[in-house]
Amino acid sequence: MPFIPLPWPDFSPLWVSLKVSLSATVVVVHLGTWIAYKMHRGRGTGRSLVEALLMAPLVLPPTVVGFGLLVLCGKNGPIGRLLALGNFQLVFTWYGAVVAAMVVSFPLMYRSALGALRKRMWPFWRRRAWMGPPSGGYFGTWLCRWRCRAFWREPS
């Protein structure tokens, strides 16, 4: 039986997938952690509205998110027109796939980072309670000690 050489496999889909996933992961980890930190530290009236907008891609069906991205980034969309001024097209490129992956995965990273920040801030509350009266006065110290006792109380 003669040896039949097989053609070399095309690895371009693998390289595109690696480029998209690694690029989106790097950007989403940094951006999601930074925005979670800002949302954790910030207090304001529009905080719940901003959080609802950040979590919208997680709640909406994937087809709606994809259609919204096509409408925004298409030739006639607001982002598409801005990009067309610089002779740059986002739709149906691997850059567009990075943007779509970032939009879909951002809420997951944001909620994870926000939960970690909320959990991580407890040692600061405990340390503040044991260090004496904060700048808020005696009531702030009492409230902080009360919260720490409730947190460390053994379940009965």
Side-chain angles (χ1 to χ4, degrees):
M1 177 162 240
F3 176 72
I4 301 172
L6 295 175
W8 186 256
D10 184 20
F11 287 113
S12 62
L14 176 68
W15 298 128
V16 169
S17 297
L18 283 174
K19 282 194 303 189
V20 167
S21 63
L22 291 176
S23 301
T25 300
V26 167
V27 173
V28 165
V29 164
H30 288 88
L31 190 66
T33 306
W34 181 71
I35 291 178
Y37 178 75
K38 291 295 184 184
M39 290 292 287
H40 177 72
R41 301 285 296 175
R43 303 283 181 246
T45 56
R47 187 169 183 261
S48 59
L49 178 65
V50 171
E51 188 153 1
L53 289 174
L54 292 175
M55 296 302 292
L58 191 62
V59 177
L60 294 173
T63 53
V64 174
V65 174
F67 183 72
L69 284 173
L70 280 175
V71 167
L72 287 174
C73 300
K75 251 194 278 188
N76 297 326
I79 298 173
R81 285 189 205 139
L82 284 174
L83 293 175
L85 295 175
N87 200 16
F88 186 75
Q89 181 183 358
L90 190 64
V91 179
F92 301 117
T93 62
W94 76 272
Y95 302 113
V98 168
V99 170
M102 286 171 35
V103 166
V104 171
S105 63
F106 178 81
L108 299 172
M109 180 61 208
Y110 166 73
R111 290 301 294 174
S112 299
L114 191 63
L117 285 171
R118 286 181 180 159
K119 182 75 173 166
R120 184 70 186 132
M121 289 300 161
W122 266 108
F124 297 116
W125 277 100
R126 282 185 271 136
R127 193 174 320 138
R128 185 173 177 183
W130 292 326
M131 286 175 60
S135 60
Y138 182 76
F139 181 72
T141 305
W142 175 82
L143 180 65
C144 193
R145 286 187 181 154
W146 177 74
R147 289 178 83 181
C148 291
R149 283 188 192 130
F151 181 71
W152 287 106
R153 185 174 297 145
E154 292 290 326
S156 49

